[in-house]
Amino acid sequence: AQKVTQAQTEISVVEKEDVTLDCVYETRDTTYYLFWYKQPPSGELVFLIRRNSFDEQNEISGRYSWNFQKSTSSFNFTITASQVVDSAVYFCALSEAYGGATNKLIFGTGTLLAVQP
Amino acid sequence: DAGVIQSPRHEVTEMGQEVTLRCKPISGHDYLFWYRQTMMRGLELLIYFNNNVPIDDSGMPEDRFSAKMPNASFSTLKIQPSEPRDSAVYFCASSLASGKTDTQYFGPGTRLTVL
């Protein structure tokens, strides 16, 4: 069965610190997609990144970087030099792609990141 | 381009009343999803449509919940009769049909409170 685990319920850091949010997933399929979404205090869900199971290259976007390791079934998210505006709940999600017709997202429970000034 | 639009943003109703939530997907997207977010259960998929046809409604909690998509630009999620345990944030999302999993873009959500 599919499952996404975000073991860190809450993280608190001081501005300018680096912080890594962990995500571990379970799936029996060889083709799947992983996502990160951000939910700021205003409540909307904002897409951050999508990664397919065949692409293990790490990705960097500004202060954000993602480390995908199939060997440990992990897709961790690092924010460098955190800012107060990064305060939000971050969700990791998994979707399988078999059959080409289904793209249901299975979400983790989220990690609440609080960045203190 | 406009993102996914949901209305109303907030809804407060009394137990037993009918509630209708509305969603307009991103133009050109062929998939539409309804999710519910609660503290206890997190984000869970209720139902999704492909080209206006319901594909999987296994997440719909009870017969009190129903969803329709009469055309490519509009969907509703109805709860009748509503109960306090239905209080949650309901999200609509849409994505392109690309033959493989595509990114789902979410609307701002409707915060439903049933008294």
Side-chain angles (χ1 to χ4, degrees), chain A residues 15-64:
Chain A
E15 210 170 15
K16 298 184 182 178
E17 285 186 20
D18 299 346
V19 58
T20 295
L21 310 181
D22 297 333
C23 174
V24 175
Y25 62 92
E26 295 177 29
T27 179
R28 290 174 294 184
D29 289 288
T30 57
T31 302
Y32 53 89
Y33 290 76
L34 295 162
F35 301 79
W36 277 94
Y37 285 85
K38 174 182 179 180
Q39 188 172 39
S42 51
E44 70 270 27
L45 280 163
V46 179
F47 164 73
L48 295 178
I49 190 171
R50 178 181 76 152
R51 174 68 67 210
N52 75 57
S53 52
F54 298 108
D55 183 1
E56 289 192 71
Q57 275 194 328
N58 292 332
E59 181 155 341
I60 299 174
S61 176
R63 296 183 298 105
Y64 294 173

Side-chain angles (χ1 to χ4, degrees), chain A residues 33 35 37 39 42-47 49-50 91 95-109, chain B residues 9 31 33 35 37 43-45 48 50 55-56 58 89 91 95-96 98-108:
Chain A
Y33 290 76
F35 301 79
Y37 285 85
Q39 188 172 39
S42 51
E44 70 270 27
L45 280 163
V46 179
F47 164 73
I49 190 171
R50 178 181 76 152
F91 290 95
S95 178
E96 293 176 342
Y98 62 85
T102 179
N103 50 1
K104 297 164 62 171
L105 285 177
I106 305 299
F107 283 88
T109 51
Chain B
R9 295 293 308 276
Y31 284 88
F33 306 80
Y35 289 87
Q37 184 178 33
L43 276 157
E44 52 182 347
L45 177 67
Y48 78 93
N50 179 22
I55 303 300
D56 186 347
S58 60
V89 180
F91 287 100
S95 71
L96 283 169
S98 62
K100 51 186 176 182
T101 302
D102 209 334
T103 299
Q104 294 180 27
Y105 294 93
F106 285 76

